[in-house]
């Protein structure tokens, strides 16, 4: 192979090396190896940040105490963490590294770390509401955690396929990402791929309308012949987090309060009963308390709520049978009308208490988002899009979601249409990651990788190589 050929795509030495696929979502980050059926690593897309002045009081949120490694300490004046060492070596030393200055903080990454309450521990999200990276230091720590602790892989020896959101058109986040991955993690090769396009690939299509209803956002993206029509993407905050907030609000109207798991202690008595007592931690950061309450509400919705196949009338169904749900404090609540009325908000958002949306745009139902996205496309592509509407994302797993979308679209679709969804829950939840896994494992894909030598020669001008 000539020198010019070896500088483009994967060199011969990397052809047999497994590629890593990473997707940083609004709620969860998925990572694993190209060619696998599902991600081997699933970790929250956030971390907790504790000021060095904190007393660092810790309370386990479950009966079993969990260890929680400290991944890094960093000055609060900088949003990014930089290191001249390789990630594999820096991770080993960072666990013992702590700052003594008053303006520094310690970061804790991973699901185990989040399950432990710490005094003044603030929850920091990697992504902003707009879907791009809001804290590059947090992203670096998250990737370091994935490579060294979850995948046990040296990033310098594995190509990386990074999944990016379908709606982003600004190139500046790509510039920063190239710098982080090539210069800090020193990966040998990189490719950025659109999440909606990858969802198409995982469903054996090149043209489709991807309805991705996840934890924080819902997006509807047209994909035509393997290319995402980014400027026709319709996004909304009408997703799982909005439903969890609405569920919590409706419980409060019944004078029911969700107590986070860390604030409850259960003691097994000799007579076989369980004594529940409340714990008070005044130094708990509000963001951590909100997250823990949200997690309980989200679990309740996933456990007992359904989407009605037709528009739900709460008055006509006032006597609907209730379903019990046990809160962390041991109290069992009965959920009746709200089993269907909370999820009804996905198609009738006017029922929500919180009407806020991205960029101040009024909330509309998921079916209206589908109509708007297709209407913005070229008339010659609309028929194919109507016949290939694919539902993915965690919130789309709610029972009855696809059937209800089918019902709503019947009244507004101009002609025949088809709503599809992977039958396997894992395939629907991890749709875009699975598409990336398929793409990264193809031998025909090798020439598309951006190699480290290419980056050294051409720098950030290569960002346009990834469509």
């Amino acid at each position: 192979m000539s020198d010019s050929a070896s500088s483009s795509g994967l060199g011969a030495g990397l052809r047999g090396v497994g590629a890593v696929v990473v997707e940083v979502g609004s709620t969860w980050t998925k990572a694993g190896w190209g060619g696998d059926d599902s991600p081997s690593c699933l970790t929250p897309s956030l971390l907790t940040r504790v000021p060095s002045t904190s007393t660092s009081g810790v309370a386990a949120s479950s009966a079993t105490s969990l260890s929680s490694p400290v991944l890094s300490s960093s000055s609060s004046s900088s949003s990014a963490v930089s290191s001249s060492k390789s990630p594999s070596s820096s991770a080993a030393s960072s666990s013992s590294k702590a700052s003594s200055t008053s303006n520094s903080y310690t970061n804790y990454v991973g699901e185990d770390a989040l399950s432990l309450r710490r005094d003044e521990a603030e929850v920091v999200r990697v992504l902003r509401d707009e879907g791009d990276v809001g804290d590059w230091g947090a992203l670096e720590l998250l990737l370091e955690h994935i490579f060294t602790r979850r995948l046990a892989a040296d990033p310098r020896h594995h190509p990386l396929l990074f999944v990016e959101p379908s709606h982003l058109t600004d190139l500046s986040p790509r510039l920063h990402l190239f710098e982080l991955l090539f210069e800090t993690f020193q990966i040998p090769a990189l490719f950025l791929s659109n999440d909606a396009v990858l969802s198409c690939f995982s469903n054996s299509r090149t043209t489709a309308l991807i309805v991705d209803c996840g934890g924080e956002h819902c997006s509807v993206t047209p994909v035509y012949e393997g290319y995402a029509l980014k400027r026709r993407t319709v996004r909304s905050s009408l997703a799982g987090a909005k439903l969890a907030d609405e569920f919590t609000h409706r419980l409060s109207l019944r004078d029911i309060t969700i107590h986070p798991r860390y604030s409850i202690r259960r003691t097994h008595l000799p007579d076989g009963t369980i004594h529940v007592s409340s714990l008070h931690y005044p130094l708990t950061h509000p963001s951590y308390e909100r997250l823990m309450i949200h997690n309980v509400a989200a679990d309740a919705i996933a456990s007992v709520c359904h989407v009605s196949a037709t528009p739900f009338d709460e008055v006509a169904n006032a006597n609907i049978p209730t379903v019990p749900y046990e809160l962390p404090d041991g109290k069992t609540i009965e959920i009746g009308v709200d089993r269907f009325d909370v999820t009804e908000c996905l198609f009738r958002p006017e029922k929500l208490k919180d009407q806020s949306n991205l960029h101040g745009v009024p909330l509309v139902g998921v079916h209206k988002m589908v109509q708007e996205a297709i209407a913005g496309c070229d008339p010659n592509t609309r028929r194919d899009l109507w016949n290939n509407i694919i539902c993915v994302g965690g919130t789309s797993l709610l029972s009855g979601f696809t059937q209800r979308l089918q019902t709503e679209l019947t009244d507004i679709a101009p002609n025949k249409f088809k709503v599809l969804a992977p039958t396997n829950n894992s395939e629907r939840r991890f749709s875009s990651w699975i598409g990336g896994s398929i793409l990264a494992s193809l031998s025909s894909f090798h020439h598309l990788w951006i190699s480290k030598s290419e980056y050294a020669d051409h720098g950030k001008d290569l960002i346009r190589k990834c469509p």
Side-chain angles (χ1 to χ4, degrees), residues 107-128:
N107 298 291
Y108 296 86
V109 184
E111 192 168 11
D112 285 355
L114 284 173
S115 67
L116 296 178
R117 190 213 67 87
R118 293 177 172 82
D119 288 347
E120 302 177 27
E122 179 184 6
V123 175
V124 179
R125 296 188 178 276
V126 173
L127 302 184
R128 300 188 300 174

Side-chain angles (χ1 to χ4, degrees), residues 392-461:
V392 298
T395 301
S396 75
L397 289 172
L398 286 169
S399 175
F401 179 89
T402 54
Q403 295 90 329
R404 177 59 179 277
L405 182 58
Q406 182 99 18
T407 300
E408 295 290 346
L409 292 178
T410 300
D411 296 331
I412 60 178
N415 296 300
K416 292 193 303 181
F417 68 95
K418 185 179 295 184
V419 177
L420 309 167
T423 55
N424 184 293
N425 286 354
S426 179
E427 292 178 0
R428 195 187 304 190
R429 186 182 181 191
F430 307 131
S431 179
S432 52
W433 187 92
I434 293 172
S437 174
I438 295 171
L439 189 64
S441 65
L442 297 177
S443 58
S444 58
F445 179 68
H446 286 166
H447 71 284
L448 294 177
W449 289 103
I450 297 174
S451 67
K452 187 176 181 180
S453 58
E454 279 186 287
Y455 178 77
D457 292 339
H458 303 287
K460 299 171 184 176
D461 293 337

Side-chain angles (χ1 to χ4, degrees), residues 283-310:
L283 295 181
T284 302
H285 197 281
S287 63
Y288 185 80
E289 182 178 16
R290 284 195 302 270
L291 176 65
M292 294 298 104
I293 293 174
H294 167 90
N295 288 347
V296 175
D299 179 74
I301 291 173
S303 301
V304 304
C305 290
H306 303 268
V307 181
S308 175
T310 57

Side-chain angles (χ1 to χ4, degrees), residues 20 86-89 143-144 147-148 152-160 181 184-189:
V20 173
S86 67
S88 57
S89 61
L143 293 175
E144 182 179 305
F147 277 115
T148 61
D154 189 336
R156 296 172 298 178
H157 300 154
H158 298 277
L160 174 63
L181 296 175
T184 301
F185 286 92
Q186 302 175 30
I187 61 172

Side-chain angles (χ1 to χ4, degrees), residues 272-291:
T273 61
I274 299 177
H275 174 70
V276 179
S277 57
S278 299
L279 303 175
H280 181 55
Y281 296 102
L283 295 181
T284 302
H285 197 281
S287 63
Y288 185 80
E289 182 178 16
R290 284 195 302 270
L291 176 65

